[in-house]
Amino acid sequence: MSTFQPEHLLAALPPLAAAGQEPAQSGHYRSFYGLDAVRAGVRSRLGSFRAGPYRLAAQVWLPERPVATLLMLHGYYDHMGLYGNLVDWALSLNFAVLACDLPGHGLSSGKRASIDDFGEYQAVLHGLFAEAEALRLPRPWHLCGQSTGGAILLDYLLHGRPRPELGETILLAPLVRPRAWKRSQLSYHLVRPFVDAIPRRFSVNSSDADFIDFVHHRDPLQPRILPTAWVGALARWIPRIEGARRSAHSPLIVQGEQDATVEWQHNLDVLEDKFNQPRRLLLPDARHHLVNEREALRQQYFEFLTRQLG
């Protein structure tokens, strides 16, 4: 079990951009998730910022002379503590990295694993932009999102006004529709009048057995429920994306063909229709949680992304 207390750590975190002194538990948190094994010369800071009604835990990694920045958004049920592989890759390119826990996830405030409207996630993204400005992180600012994090980014590209300092947008197994969405909708309408949440079903969404064991049995920040409010918010958000006008952007998309979490074939068709020649990499053996797939698969898509960002 961890030596940090998640419910107390957020309250003790200083504003990220103010560079206040971190609480002692920050070190225990980093050690527990392996985030203390960063590259030589890299400084890291754990803090918080406000986005709408939420107080969000956030983290920044700063090489001595960064040449760009990666802004990182995690997937549903995840938190930034699980994203050390992605952080390490970005640091290998001498990028600064900025990440936060979404509302209701990780150390952040909010009802666990829930959201009333996907529009609230856009406030989170704009909060990250504000933190990047306050920290004076180097441009370009590249964006990267896994699953629901990718959904937040594609919504921004389709409906927002992307900032001139942005570089590439990386979508890892992006969510448009989850797997078996029609059946899930029926179940949602049947149970919504009676319950606020159902027990979570843990899935084997990576071929890395150690990661699966950790998430299923040893991670104290894993939600144990699926709130009906989140499913309802998703149901209202999907038509917004599928009905959006075509964008001139060309995001980078990495997708595993063994993904059993999202309807990836349908989702790729939607993204091909919405964006201008998105650059895709399909991995025949990869499952959904690409950030924590086994090392050989991670190496394949990191090499692809490195070439595209070069």
Side-chain angles (χ1 to χ4, degrees), residues 57-127:
Q59 200 159 182
V60 62
W61 290 263
L62 296 165
E64 290 182 357
R65 294 180 178 83
V67 298
T69 300
L70 185 74
L71 275 60
M72 188 174 74
L73 292 172
H74 65 74
Y76 190 58
Y77 286 140
D78 285 349
H79 55 88
M80 58 186 171
L82 301 177
Y83 280 55
N85 293 324
L86 187 59
V87 172
D88 186 69
W89 166 73
L91 293 175
S92 76
L93 301 178
N94 206 26
F95 291 176
V97 181
L98 176 62
C100 72
D101 287 339
L102 295 176
H105 289 75
L107 300 173
S108 291
S109 69
K111 294 180 180 179
R112 291 297 87 186
S114 193
I115 203 81
D116 290 329
D117 189 280
F118 267 44
E120 296 181 52
Y121 288 141
Q122 294 302 304
V124 172
L125 179 57
H126 285 283

Side-chain angles (χ1 to χ4, degrees), residues 38-307:
V38 296
R39 293 169 179 261
V42 174
R43 294 177 293 116
S44 64
R45 187 187 310 163
L46 184 65
S48 65
F49 68 90
R50 307 280 320 184
Y54 303 107
R55 188 177 180 205
L56 305 179
Q59 200 159 182
V60 62
W61 290 263
L62 296 165
E64 290 182 357
R65 294 180 178 83
V67 298
T69 300
L70 185 74
L71 275 60
M72 188 174 74
L73 292 172
H74 65 74
Y76 190 58
Y77 286 140
D78 285 349
H79 55 88
M80 58 186 171
L82 301 177
Y83 280 55
N85 293 324
L86 187 59
V87 172
D88 186 69
W89 166 73
L91 293 175
S92 76
L93 301 178
N94 206 26
F95 291 176
V97 181
L98 176 62
C100 72
D101 287 339
L102 295 176
H105 289 75
L107 300 173
S108 291
S109 69
K111 294 180 180 179
R112 291 297 87 186
S114 193
I115 203 81
D116 290 329
D117 189 280
F118 267 44
E120 296 181 52
Y121 288 141
Q122 294 302 304
V124 172
L125 179 57
H126 285 283
L128 267 187
F129 291 152
E131 293 300 300
E133 287 182 340
L135 291 163
R136 298 182 179 178
L137 297 183
R139 305 174 183 185
W141 297 347
H142 302 298
L143 308 178
C144 182
Q146 160 85 34
S147 194
T148 296
I152 297 168
L153 297 180
L154 69 91
D155 193 349
Y156 176 68
L157 294 182
L158 291 172
H159 294 106
R161 294 182 178 179
R163 304 165 65 105
E165 58 265 46
L166 296 185
E168 299 285 3
T169 299
I170 301 167
L171 307 174
L172 303 176
L175 169 68
V176 177
R177 290 189 186 186
R179 188 184 183 192
W181 175 235
K182 291 183 179 179
R183 186 168 69 246
S184 298
Q185 279 185 296
L186 177 60
S187 299
Y188 162 71
H189 288 295
L190 289 174
V191 304
R192 182 181 60 172
F194 308 105
V195 298
D196 294 328
I198 61 175
R200 174 185 175 182
R201 294 181 180 179
F202 282 83
S203 62
V204 180
N205 58 4
S206 165
S207 59
D208 186 328
D210 290 339
F211 170 72
I212 294 299
D213 177 71
F214 179 78
V215 169
H216 287 199
H217 304 295
R218 294 183 286 120
D219 184 2
L221 296 181
Q222 286 298 309
R224 302 284 165 172
I225 58 171
L226 173 61
T228 54
W230 190 88
V231 179
L234 175 63
R236 295 188 296 274
W237 177 83
I238 290 174
R240 168 180 169 83
I241 297 303
E242 296 185 344
R245 293 182 178 179
R246 186 174 175 87
S247 166
H249 291 281
S250 177
L252 297 162
I253 303 171
V254 182
Q255 178 63 59
E257 296 187 31
Q258 302 304 312
D259 191 332
T261 300
V262 297
E263 289 187 359
W264 63 268
Q265 296 99 328
H266 169 84
N267 296 351
L268 287 183
D269 287 343
V270 170
L271 299 184
E272 285 285 350
D273 180 61
K274 299 303 175 186
F275 294 107
N276 179 31
Q277 296 181 333
R279 290 154 290 169
R280 309 188 320 181
L281 175 67
L282 297 182
L283 300 172
D285 298 326
R287 302 182 191 180
H288 181 67
H289 208 298
L290 293 172
V291 170
N292 283 289
E293 260 293 3
R294 66 181 188 270
E295 184 177 1
L297 293 172
R298 296 199 310 267
Q299 189 64 30
Q300 287 184 55
Y301 73 76
F302 282 149
E303 289 176 356
F304 165 75
L305 295 176
T306 300
R307 290 195 300 272

